[in-house]
Each structure stands twice: as structure tokens, then as C-alpha cells.
Amino acid sequence: MNIQPKHVIVGLLLLGTLSCGGRPPADASYDRTQAEAEIRDIENSWAQVAVSGDPAVIARIFADDFVGVAPDGAQYTKQGFIDDTKANPLGFATTELNEMKVRFEGNVAVAQGHETFTRKDGARGRFVWTDVLVRRGGTWQLIAAQDAMVPDAKPPTSV
């Protein structure tokens, strides 16, 4: 049998893909219950930025490589969000996180939920969102987000 070097490389790549399932490796060094509590705290902190306007919260919970998609479809970065929060207070009187589900895949978590808000002018609405967090150096950080703004209405039923 004549095995060519390229066959060995292809075999190793295939073996690596099959053994990892094409997914990031699981990290058993964290407790999922504790991780979910940490992620819920992160999400609550972010929701309250709409009221407090505190850019230090964003600096703490967003990864440096964060990219989000705003309700209007515009992309934003960590630094862009910090700068915008400083320059243009968001004008929310209240926000309330109504529901959130968190799923884990190794060092990655996907949080999905919705929250209701009241603006300072009395207008009400709801954000529906999906956030992606990654565990780096023992800390969960937001790396991606997509938000939709919908009229205040009865929240959707759980899936």
C-alpha cells in the first residue's frame, strides 16, 4: 500500500472533524448552572444600560471583537456602542427582562429572550433578541447580538 502524504493529511483532518463533530470542544471546567446565572446577570446588566446609559457596563461585558445588529439592521461594534451611548443617551425610563433561554455548546452560549421597555416619552415596546457569548479566560463575554424591536404586545409563547 502506497500512502501519499496528502492522504495522511486528509485522513487527519477527517478524523479531527469527526471527533470534534465540527464543533468547539466542550469545556467541563465550568458549572452550567453557575454559567447560566452569570449570563443572566450579563443580560440584565445590558438591559439596564438603556436606562442608566452607563458605557462602563458595555466595556465590561462585550468582547473586544463584538459585532451586533441593531433593530434597524445597522451593524455596531463594542467601541461604537460605547461612543454612541456616551453621545446619545438612549432615553429609556424602564426595561424589564421578561424571558430568556440559554443553551450551551462547549465554551459558547446562545441566549435568546425578550424584554419590555418604556421610553421617557411614555412610548412602550419590546426587544426580541439573540446573543452569543463565549467563555474566555474563565469569563463570559458577548461576541454577537441581533435585536428586533416590536410593538408592546402579549409576549410570544415559549417554543
Side-chain angles (χ1 to χ4, degrees):
M1 177 182 270
N2 185 10
I3 299 177
Q4 299 295 317
K6 67 181 178 183
H7 293 121
V8 172
I9 293 171
V10 169
L12 289 172
L13 288 173
L14 181 59
L15 180 61
T17 302
L18 292 174
S19 67
C20 293
R23 298 180 177 150
D27 180 355
S29 67
Y30 68 88
D31 175 82
R32 285 189 177 202
T33 303
Q34 177 63 32
E36 185 170 338
E38 291 171 15
I39 290 167
R40 287 182 180 281
D41 183 54
I42 288 168
E43 295 293 352
N44 278 307
S45 295
W46 186 7
Q48 292 310 308
V49 168
V51 176
S52 72
D54 184 359
V57 173
I58 300 305
R60 178 178 53 84
I61 64 176
F62 280 27
D64 290 340
D65 58 345
F66 173 89
V67 177
V69 179
D72 66 0
Q75 288 190 335
Y76 61 98
T77 63
K78 175 182 180 172
Q79 192 58 54
F81 194 73
I82 289 170
D83 294 345
D84 193 50
T85 300
K86 288 177 183 177
N88 306 299
L90 299 173
F92 289 84
T94 66
T95 62
E96 181 181 348
L97 196 57
N98 303 117
E99 184 178 336
M100 178 179 20
K101 292 185 180 186
V102 180
R103 294 176 291 146
F104 295 94
E105 184 64 44
N107 284 331
V108 176
V110 176
Q112 294 177 292
H114 58 89
E115 59 198 69
T116 52
F117 64 82
T118 305
R119 293 187 183 273
K120 289 182 179 175
D121 65 5
R124 295 178 47 86
R126 225 166 26 94
F127 286 113
V128 179
W129 46 264
T130 299
D131 294 340
V132 180
L133 300 95
V134 67
R135 188 166 184 269
R136 294 176 177 159
T139 302
W140 290 98
Q141 294 184 306
L142 284 150
I143 61 166
Q146 184 156 4
D147 304 304
M149 192 180 303
V150 296
D152 187 28
K154 184 179 177 187
T157 56
S158 297
V159 220

